[in-house]
Amino acid sequence: MPAINGTVNRYTLTPRGDVDGLILADGTEVHFPPHLSTQLVYAIKPGDAVTVRGLKALSIPLVAAVSITNDRSGQTVTDNGPGFGPGPKGPRQAGQPLTVQGRIQMALHGPRGDVNGVLIEDGTILRLPPPEAERFATQLAPGQAITAQGDAITTPMGRVVDVQAIGPSPTQLSFIQRPEPPGKKGPRP
């Protein structure tokens, strides 16, 4: 696997508050499975120089990491597939209703390259389903003013908002459509 070197700027978070990757100082997103969240946080911190091995996307600065090594300590976290590693502990943390406003610093992507959120300038991560990110693509461009409402989780690794409504200002919000859970096809006749 090719090696990418960089310095960790920040963690990325899932809507439930688990670490699912890193953003390097050059803006490269590094994806890592959330079941390795605890191991990653203990081995790698913002400011650390790292070597990432994984698959690099062709059109965007995104790496689906297989391993991440802290260059100073030599600690390596490796993805050996689901079920290997401690995984997130306990029940999902309850989010607190929150409205946030700010300017978009960068779009965030899922492991397949689909936009699934943004990072705003105060460091808050806004997450929304990829089909909705596509629907609101013009509003999610870097530099745009954004207002979002949703359930926020604040952890020592950062703050994430599971977006329920989004728009350019508090008076121009549109609700986010959530995909139906698998197996739910509506009422039976």
Side-chain angles (χ1 to χ4, degrees), residues 119-135:
L119 173 67
I120 59 175
E121 289 176 339
D122 72 356
T124 300
I125 293 172
L126 306 178
R127 292 289 188 184
L128 57 159
E132 290 298 274
E134 190 174 314
R135 183 166 72 110

Side-chain angles (χ1 to χ4, degrees), residues 14-184:
T14 68
R16 63 178 282 142
D18 299 319
V19 172
D20 69 347
L22 310 166
I23 298 175
L24 302 181
D26 69 359
T28 299
E29 290 178 77
V30 177
H31 266 278
F32 214 62
H35 71 269
L36 295 170
S37 183
T38 303
Q39 284 179 267
L40 186 66
V41 169
Y42 279 110
I44 311 290
K45 307 247 183 293
D48 288 346
V50 294
T51 300
V52 178
R53 293 196 179 276
L55 302 174
K56 190 165 180 2
L58 296 176
S59 59
I60 56 175
L62 173 71
V63 178
V66 173
S67 70
I68 303 174
T69 301
N70 182 320
D71 294 345
R72 185 181 42 77
S73 71
Q75 284 185 288
T76 299
V77 180
T78 302
D79 177 13
N80 293 314
F84 293 92
K89 299 271 189 274
R92 177 185 170 136
Q93 199 176 340
Q96 299 297 316
L98 183 69
T99 299
V100 294
Q101 292 181 274
R103 291 221 172 267
I104 296 173
Q105 185 175 354
M106 68 184 285
L108 299 175
H109 302 83
R112 294 186 184 109
D114 47 350
V115 175
N116 66 2
V118 294
L119 173 67
I120 59 175
E121 289 176 339
D122 72 356
T124 300
I125 293 172
L126 306 178
R127 292 289 188 184
L128 57 159
E132 290 298 274
E134 190 174 314
R135 183 166 72 110
F136 291 102
T138 57
Q139 295 179 36
L140 300 178
Q144 294 278 41
I146 193 88
T147 299
Q149 293 178 340
D151 292 328
I153 296 174
T154 302
T155 73
M157 282 63 69
R159 179 168 65 181
V160 61
V161 177
D162 189 6
V163 177
Q164 295 168 356
I166 196 165
S169 73
T171 59
Q172 297 175 295
L173 295 177
S174 298
F175 286 98
I176 297 297
Q177 302 296 314
R178 296 283 168 197
E180 281 194 36
K184 280 235 169 185

